[in-house]
Amino acid sequence: MWFSDRRHFLSLAAAFAVVACGFTPAYGPDSAARGLLGKVHADDPGDKNGFDFVARLEERLGRPNNPAYRLSYAIAVTIEGLGITSSNVITRYSVNATATYSLRRSGSDVVIASGAIRNFTSYSASGTVVSTAASRRDANLRLMRSLADQVVTELTVAADAGNWAEP
């Protein structure tokens, strides 16, 4: 009983500390980043990685109804062998990706936010052909979702810092 009272007190104290330090929610009512929700149209994907990337962007920012912004992106993926046995068989692969992006207002060519992000994941190739193919697909999906999350985070920070997003 004492522990639950203590946890309640500590959670309230933590909440007050967060409010006291000036923390504001990224998508709060007065946030510039709120203007990104449902307003960003990403370029149409050209491959499976692009499809997964755009799907995650839309999951995080919402599907654009009346887009105010256009997001252009390019994704470069490289795969390299990591684990190599004494018989020269690769048992683990690293999937490395770089995504460059630029955000423009719809109907304008002026870039208001841009950047390049990098991330990686890996997968095992020591199972069957089918399990290795499934692992490779899963690794690519995880990587594209991670890249999209990073882009959303950077756009959110840029919107709040630069105050260019429309609320």
Side-chain angles (χ1 to χ4, degrees):
M1 183 73 159
W2 181 77
F3 286 115
S4 66
D5 291 339
R6 184 176 179 194
R7 279 187 296 211
H8 181 68
F9 173 76
L10 289 175
S11 65
L12 284 175
F16 286 127
V18 166
V19 170
C21 77
F23 172 80
T24 57
Y27 299 114
D30 297 329
S31 168
R34 188 178 182 97
L36 295 173
L37 299 176
K39 300 287 186 186
V40 178
H41 178 268
D43 288 347
D44 294 334
D47 59 5
K48 175 75 167 107
N49 284 338
F51 178 82
D52 293 337
F53 179 79
V54 171
R56 181 61 174 178
L57 284 174
E58 290 181 352
E59 185 179 318
R60 294 282 310 273
L61 293 174
R63 240 182 147 155
N65 305 348
N66 185 15
Y69 304 100
R70 185 185 64 208
L71 181 73
S72 300
Y73 64 91
I75 301 170
V77 177
T78 60
I79 300 173
E80 61 184 69
L82 289 180
I84 301 174
T85 65
S86 59
S87 58
N88 228 13
V89 174
I90 299 173
T91 60
R92 188 152 195 86
Y93 288 93
S94 175
V95 185
N96 306 300
T98 301
T100 56
Y101 68 90
S102 57
L103 187 73
R104 297 170 173 82
R105 290 195 188 277
S106 293
S108 173
D109 286 333
V110 177
V111 175
I112 55 176
S114 64
I117 53 174
R118 292 175 183 76
N119 211 328
F120 72 96
T121 189
S122 61
Y123 65 93
S124 174
S126 59
T128 65
V129 173
V130 173
S131 68
T132 299
S135 294
R136 181 175 45 246
R137 281 191 307 273
D138 181 61
N140 280 321
L141 174 64
R142 288 191 325 264
L143 186 55
M144 293 306 114
R145 290 175 62 87
S146 177
L147 289 173
D149 287 343
Q150 287 177 270
V151 168
V152 169
T153 299
E154 287 192 6
L155 290 178
T156 301
V157 169
D160 280 337
N163 204 17
W164 46 259
E166 298 168 354

